[in-house]
Amino acid sequence: MSRLAILVATGALALFTAGVAFAAEVGGVKLDDKVSLGGQELILNGAGIRSRVVFKVYVASLYLPQKAKDLPGVLGKTPRRIQMNMLRALSAEQLVDALNEGLAENNSPAEMATVKNQAEQLSSIMKAFREVKEGDVITLDFVDGGTGVTLNGETKGTISADAFTQALTRIWLGDKPVQADLKKALLGG
């Protein structure tokens, strides 16, 4: 094949792949630059890897209607999505324990008392997963004052209460986030 033909073919391939809607690749996971939720288009605000000890656990990504750089900016935007693309297998118990720990670390005892029933609902939904495997995708969709939970695109449950959506978001973006560099990445930093 001549050099000109190779250049033309390479250029055509580059133009073709430029139209693909991937905004980023994090930890080997290709993330969409836009998603649709509640009839609204959301854009990727940021993404990063959640690690625990030496293990990469999941790629977290945050989608919002407009970019936000801090927790109040995120909480002021709905709908919104937090997505977890699993990089390793976890039991449902491990997942629930991590979420409950994050909730307790980032919400006062009074706030936790307010969302106790919703936290128990989330635990029940996630325990029904039994296990999440590498490659599975969990989404937490915050729309119309509730939290929709999906696993690999299949709705697993919805939890009502705006206070809970805020408490849950603080796991990643609160004063004591699960991981400081992940918080920074989710906020586009």
Side-chain angles (χ1 to χ4, degrees), residues 6 38 40 60 62 105 125 141 159 180:
I6 291 172
Q40 189 169 350
L62 173 64
E105 284 289 317
I125 291 167
D141 292 331
I159 303 160

Short mmCIF file of all heavy atoms in Angstrom, two decimals, residues 6 38 40 60 62 105 125 141 159 180:
data_model
loop_
_atom_site.label_atom_id
_atom_site.label_comp_id
_atom_site.label_asym_id
_atom_site.label_seq_id
_atom_site.Cartn_x
_atom_site.Cartn_y
_atom_site.Cartn_z
N ILE A 6 -2.08 4.89 2.79
CA ILE A 6 -2.05 4.64 4.23
C ILE A 6 -2.46 5.90 4.98
O ILE A 6 -3.26 5.85 5.92
CB ILE A 6 -0.64 4.17 4.68
CG1 ILE A 6 -0.38 2.77 4.11
CG2 ILE A 6 -0.52 4.18 6.20
CD1 ILE A 6 1.03 2.28 4.32
N GLY A 38 -33.73 11.27 32.85
CA GLY A 38 -34.90 12.08 33.16
C GLY A 38 -35.24 13.04 32.05
O GLY A 38 -35.71 14.14 32.30
N GLN A 40 -33.21 14.58 30.18
CA GLN A 40 -32.21 15.65 30.08
C GLN A 40 -30.85 15.05 29.75
O GLN A 40 -30.50 13.96 30.20
CB GLN A 40 -32.14 16.41 31.41
CG GLN A 40 -31.31 17.65 31.34
CD GLN A 40 -31.49 18.51 32.59
OE1 GLN A 40 -32.36 18.28 33.41
NE2 GLN A 40 -30.66 19.52 32.73
N ALA A 60 -15.17 5.52 39.06
CA ALA A 60 -16.35 6.32 39.38
C ALA A 60 -16.42 7.49 38.41
O ALA A 60 -15.39 8.07 38.06
CB ALA A 60 -16.26 6.85 40.81
N LEU A 62 -19.01 11.01 37.33
CA LEU A 62 -20.09 11.90 37.74
C LEU A 62 -20.62 12.63 36.52
O LEU A 62 -19.84 13.24 35.78
CB LEU A 62 -19.58 12.91 38.78
CG LEU A 62 -20.53 14.03 39.20
CD1 LEU A 62 -21.76 13.46 39.93
CD2 LEU A 62 -19.80 15.03 40.10
N GLU A 105 -19.35 8.37 57.49
CA GLU A 105 -18.21 9.29 57.54
C GLU A 105 -18.57 10.71 57.08
O GLU A 105 -17.94 11.66 57.49
CB GLU A 105 -17.06 8.78 56.67
CG GLU A 105 -16.29 7.64 57.28
CD GLU A 105 -15.44 8.08 58.47
OE1 GLU A 105 -14.79 9.14 58.39
OE2 GLU A 105 -15.44 7.35 59.47
N ILE A 125 -31.41 -3.49 48.38
CA ILE A 125 -31.30 -3.56 46.91
C ILE A 125 -29.95 -4.15 46.52
O ILE A 125 -29.86 -5.05 45.68
CB ILE A 125 -31.49 -2.16 46.28
CG1 ILE A 125 -32.94 -1.70 46.43
CG2 ILE A 125 -31.07 -2.16 44.80
CD1 ILE A 125 -33.17 -0.22 46.11
N ASP A 141 -28.80 7.03 39.98
CA ASP A 141 -29.40 8.15 39.25
C ASP A 141 -30.26 8.97 40.20
O ASP A 141 -31.21 8.45 40.79
CB ASP A 141 -30.24 7.64 38.08
CG ASP A 141 -29.40 7.02 36.99
OD1 ASP A 141 -28.23 7.43 36.83
OD2 ASP A 141 -29.91 6.14 36.28
N ILE A 159 -35.29 4.66 45.44
CA ILE A 159 -35.40 5.09 46.82
C ILE A 159 -35.81 6.55 46.81
O ILE A 159 -35.11 7.40 46.24
CB ILE A 159 -34.07 4.91 47.55
CG1 ILE A 159 -33.61 3.45 47.46
CG2 ILE A 159 -34.17 5.37 49.00
CD1 ILE A 159 -32.15 3.24 47.72
N ALA A 180 -9.68 11.14 48.61
CA ALA A 180 -9.53 12.56 48.28
C ALA A 180 -9.21 12.80 46.81
O ALA A 180 -9.78 13.70 46.19
CB ALA A 180 -8.44 13.19 49.17
#
